[in-house]
Amino acid sequence: MADKELLDSFDRELAGNGLEGHWMGGSSEEDKVAYEKDPHTSVQAHVWKWSIIYKHLMRAGDIHGLEGMADRRTLRLINPAYQNLPSRRRRATTHTIQMSVQLLKPGELASSHRHNFGAFRFIVEGRGAYTVVEGEKFVMEPGDLILNPPMTWHGHVNEAEPIVWLDGLDYPLLNALQVITWEPFPGDFQTIKDSTKLTAHRIGMARPTWEKAAGPLQYKWDDTYRTLKNLEASEGSPFDGVALEYVNPVNGGHTFPTMSCCVQLLRKGETTRTHRHNSSTVYHAFRGSGVTVINGKKYEWEQGDCFVVPLWSWHSHQNASKSEEAILFSMNDQPMLEALKLYREEPGEGA
Ligand code: GTQ
Ligand code: FE2
């Protein structure tokens, strides 16, 4: 082999020509783990306490109107790993998912726009405000999930009481693919198809035959909760308890091609088995309290808290209470990995 000086100068010559030899390592932590058996992720496990989120969201309501960037009053949950990145890349709860919390006050109207990142709304508190998606009016009530598929026009209206909901977006994934598009609605606000109707024309699973694409859809909490309770006595998933996925109404598959929403009931005192997968999940504790063990470390959560389980980390959930049930709402990027034939999962040892 040639001497070090010659090797170094060759590397420099390569670099000067926009080339690099495969023998080159790197100095950063990430470089060191470029080739390993287990996937390496920058996403960190983290819990955002609801008391903190809520306090600051209300403060935002006091001092921020809806004017400005895209007419929305949201707080984004930023993964600690991304805190110092430029804004577009910082806006990420995991590398693929962004969860935000949005407040709309009575009398407010959040103007219409559309974009190719998909969005979910999961209602946390407040009742009677509505979101308008492609002219359909969806009244929001706690526990409801409303889909806002890519490129559908949407705006929000509140003539009722203050409302707080979670936004789930595949923005970081689309941003990494560098395909983001966003545009304001041409005109004031979308025309609502039938403003006398309290809710959307499309309810449940019967849909117009002439509509081929997945339109907006609402999953009412009463239906979701009844299903959870109906299945309470069943075995459930060993890793997730009584877990449901919100299926896509058109093809019966995942909620969206990029990301999926789930809700799970952890019964009184229930502890799930450990497993891991290369999809990442963002959770919201809708009811109850508990503990999620992530790579051996305990993360405690109570009602309202949001937390991240990064990809390939071992995890199990525990409902800490013997007397109260716990319900976790969550979203994950499994559909995207499955579509690319990259999805992997592994059960843990024992239990
Ligand atoms: O409500 O339309 O959290 O466009 C981020 C982008 C919410 C929305 C977000 C959005 C919206
Ligand atoms: Fe939007």
Side-chain angles (χ1 to χ4, degrees):
M1 207 163 69
D3 67 36
K4 184 160 169 15
E5 205 171 307
L6 182 111
L7 291 172
D8 286 350
S9 83
F10 181 54
D11 286 340
R12 280 194 299 277
E13 186 181 327
L14 285 173
N17 286 285
L19 297 169
E20 184 185 89
H22 195 82
W23 52 87
M24 287 294 283
S27 49
S28 76
E29 273 310 299
E30 227 163 293
D31 281 331
K32 284 186 195 133
V33 291
Y35 294 112
E36 284 206 332
K37 186 156 180 286
D38 289 328
H40 174 76
T41 181
S42 57
V43 180
Q44 289 178 21
H46 190 73
V47 181
W48 288 261
K49 298 302 293 176
W50 186 249
S51 55
I52 304 283
I53 295 173
Y54 194 81
K55 182 174 85 178
H56 291 93
L57 188 62
M58 293 305 124
R59 181 99 175 101
D62 290 339
I63 64 178
H64 279 287
L66 288 189
E67 65 283 348
M69 284 288 280
D71 289 0
R72 299 294 189 265
R73 185 190 293 109
T74 73
L75 297 182
R76 304 184 180 112
L77 308 187
I78 307 292
N79 194 281
Y82 303 143
Q83 219 60 267
N84 298 318
L85 296 182
S87 69
R88 270 196 171 223
R89 291 198 291 133
R90 186 176 60 237
R91 295 172 192 166
T93 313
T94 73
H95 59 312
T96 53
I97 292 169
Q98 189 208 292
M99 190 189 262
S100 288
V101 193
Q102 185 159 171
L103 167 67
L104 193 68
K105 298 195 295 183
E108 286 184 331
L109 182 142
S111 62
S112 299
H113 63 215
R114 67 177 182 178
H115 35 72
N116 61 348
F117 46 96
F120 309 125
R121 324 269 168 222
F122 183 79
I123 320 309
V124 180
E125 73 168 43
R127 203 173 281 277
Y130 55 92
T131 180
V132 181
V133 186
E134 290 288 305
E136 296 281 338
K137 180 174 170 180
F138 295 94
V139 174
M140 300 161 130
E141 295 179 305
D144 291 355
L145 176 71
I146 300 167
L147 301 192
N148 192 142
M151 294 315 278
T152 53
W153 295 110
H154 57 280
H156 318 305
V157 183
N158 193 354
E159 294 153 356
E161 58 194 48
I163 189 158
V164 174
W165 71 78
L166 302 174
D167 292 313
L169 314 150
D170 49 15
Y171 174 90
L173 173 65
L174 272 70
N175 188 39
L177 298 174
Q178 306 189 350
V179 295
I180 300 273
T181 173
W182 185 99
E183 60 188 305
F185 187 72
D188 287 345
F189 198 83
Q190 326 160 52
T191 310
I192 300 170
K193 281 186 185 145
D194 182 351
S195 58
T196 61
K197 285 228 162 55
L198 279 179
T199 190
H201 298 75
R202 296 159 185 75
I203 304 162
M205 297 304 285
R207 304 184 63 76
T209 53
W210 61 92
E211 286 183 4
K212 299 299 178 217
L217 197 91
Q218 181 169 32
Y219 306 80
K220 295 301 294 179
W221 176 246
D222 286 351
D223 298 338
T224 307
Y225 188 63
R226 205 175 330 137
T227 307
L228 287 173
K229 294 302 275 185
N230 285 345
L231 294 172
E232 188 167 20
S234 67
E235 219 175 308
S237 151
F239 307 111
D240 287 302
V242 183
L244 308 176
E245 181 180 23
Y246 295 86
V247 297
N248 180 298
V250 170
N251 60 20
H254 298 303
T255 325
F256 278 160
T258 48
M259 54 179 178
S260 203
C261 289
C262 294
V263 62
Q264 68 199 82
L265 169 68
L266 298 170
R267 294 157 285 200
K268 295 161 192 169
E270 180 167 9
T271 300
T272 67
R273 275 189 59 184
T274 300
H275 74 159
R276 67 177 176 181
H277 34 70
N278 60 359
S279 56
S280 302
T281 312
V282 184
Y283 292 91
H284 165 73
F286 186 58
R287 297 283 180 259
S289 60
V291 179
T292 294
V293 180
I294 306 172
N295 282 339
K297 193 173 163 203
K298 282 184 174 181
Y299 293 83
E300 289 182 17
W301 43 263
E302 56 194 345
Q303 189 168 321
D305 294 354
C306 299
F307 60 98
V308 164
V309 174
L311 65 95
W312 215 236
S313 41
W314 295 109
H315 60 281
S316 65
H317 306 290
Q318 188 183 356
N319 177 351
S321 170
K322 296 262 186 290
S323 57
E324 304 284 330
E325 62 193 24
I327 296 174
L328 293 173
F329 171 80
S330 63
M331 55 182 138
N332 65 72
D333 56 4
Q334 186 179 332
M336 178 271 295
L337 292 163
E338 280 182 7
L340 299 175
K341 307 272 185 279
L342 292 171
Y343 182 68
R344 281 173 69 197
E345 62 178 288
E346 263 180 23
E349 297 285 308

